[in-house]
Amino acid sequence: MKASTGKARVEGPHCPPLTDPLAALRTPDDPPWDVYLTGTVFLDIVFTGLDSAPVRGTESWARGMGSSPGGVANMATALARLGLRTSLAAAFGDDHYGEYCWDTLQQGEGIDLSPSRTVPGWHSPVTVSMAYDGERTMVSHGHEPPPEEPSHPSPTTLKRRPPGEDLPPCPPRARAAVASLTPGRSAPWIAQAARDGARIFGDVGWDDTGAWDLAALSDLRHCEAFLPNAEEAMRYTGTDCPRAAAHALTDHVPVAVVTLGAEGAYAVDRRTGETASVPAIEVEALDPTGAGDVFVAGFVTGTLAGWPLADRLAFAGLTAALSVQEFGGSLSAPGWAEIGAWRRSVGCAEGQDPEALRRYDFLTALTPADPVRPWPLRRAVPTIGFRRSA
């Protein structure tokens, strides 16, 4: 399918017009949102430029630091920056951290937060991440928010909701939803979203139980695609090869995508018989935080746009590679201007393989020819509380 150069403006003082990868597919009967997500928003504080892991009993100095919304905000921001209409349901603390995260996501990124809520007296979860040697170590702190009471929204939630507007249905109608699957736990909203026509993309974290039982991922049956990393895929399938694991996973889900770290990614589509393998793009990595979320966002974008499996996989790898060159998880996500800048820069560099560059020709109609961005993307900064001068 030919890419479209349609434009869509997302409201917000810091949001530029975004290339709309779904412009040619949109109709008046479409759901109001392209992607729905729910989860926990953290305040991420990231230290980079460490020569090694911190040593017990010593003090380490980092050459770089950045703060940004994290957790589910990583993927929500990545989706929004790729031009997808994104809706997020999350709890926000009524502290400064929560206010910063809310404003950054809603005003800065144009993400719909109407299904979200502000919880009085609940402090925002925080993650401190230390990046070194291409890896990261994280320390997090937070508490589960109290149960939601839709009939008694907090004053802050009411203030943030337009006058007279009721709480939207949750989950709202959307083309797709991204779900984090948890062993032994089912999330009713996933089944509801699937019944309403959403295409479900499932990712998964490390199984702390050690069981690695696919049957425990009960919501996998609702998913169109499952995107584990190589170690997770092999443990869940009992195989010793990531590619064999991907094929085994298609007994449970139509599309299996296995990320291979420095070796790229491999995917299988059971319905079409397609397989695809793409190498990783070599970049100078500053901070790997959120790269996996950006990969999923790229794959979701390509799927909704109707691209071939190999193009979806190549695009997901490209967006993830570009994200590790900036601080933080959410605010490191690239937009179309950054993707276009990468294509121009590698095209002019000496020693590039023309055949390798042609792999990304499918993006030509979507990447802007003008390298100037009128509103720069927000990036993670060391502090969230600069005072404005009079």
Side-chain angles (χ1 to χ4, degrees), residues 4-7 16-20 81-82 335-345 363-374:
S4 169
T5 55
K7 301 288 183 178
L18 297 175
T19 297
D20 183 357
R81 288 185 172 186
L82 292 176
W336 288 104
E338 286 67 40
I339 295 167
W342 173 82
R343 293 192 68 213
R344 288 188 296 273
S345 65
L363 296 174
T364 298
L366 283 165
T367 48
D370 184 359
V372 178
R373 174 187 286 276

Side-chain angles (χ1 to χ4, degrees), residues 190-342:
I190 298 176
Q192 183 61 53
R195 286 193 295 269
D196 292 341
R199 303 163 74 174
I200 310 298
F201 296 78
D203 67 0
V204 70
W206 191 257
D207 185 357
D208 291 327
T209 69
W212 298 101
D213 181 8
L214 277 171
L217 299 178
S218 57
D219 287 325
L220 187 61
R221 67 185 186 274
H222 303 299
C223 294
E224 170 174 328
F226 184 44
L227 300 96
N229 65 32
E231 186 66 24
E232 293 159 350
M234 289 188 293
R235 285 177 180 265
Y236 270 118
T237 59
T239 59
D240 58 3
C241 169
R243 287 166 174 77
H247 285 274
L249 286 171
T250 59
D251 291 339
H252 305 271
V253 66
V255 179
V257 181
V258 176
T259 55
L260 309 174
E263 296 181 21
Y266 182 76
V268 183
D269 188 328
R270 182 186 70 208
R271 295 166 301 190
T272 65
E274 290 177 276
T275 62
S277 178
V278 298
I281 296 174
E282 292 187 11
V283 295
E284 186 175 347
L286 174 66
D287 175 21
T289 304
D293 296 317
V294 177
F295 181 95
V296 174
F299 190 82
V300 171
T301 300
T303 301
L304 296 185
W307 299 346
L309 183 64
D311 289 353
R312 286 181 264 164
L313 205 61
F315 182 67
L318 171 60
T319 54
L322 296 180
S323 76
V324 303
Q325 298 179 96
E326 299 285 348
F327 277 114
S330 61
L331 302 186
S332 67
W336 288 104
E338 286 67 40
I339 295 167
W342 173 82

Side-chain angles (χ1 to χ4, degrees), residues 39-43 69-73 88 90-92 101-102 105 122 124-126:
T40 303
V41 173
F42 289 77
L43 174 72
V72 71
L88 170 64
F92 290 79
C101 290
W102 183 290
L105 298 176
W122 181 68
S124 300
V126 176

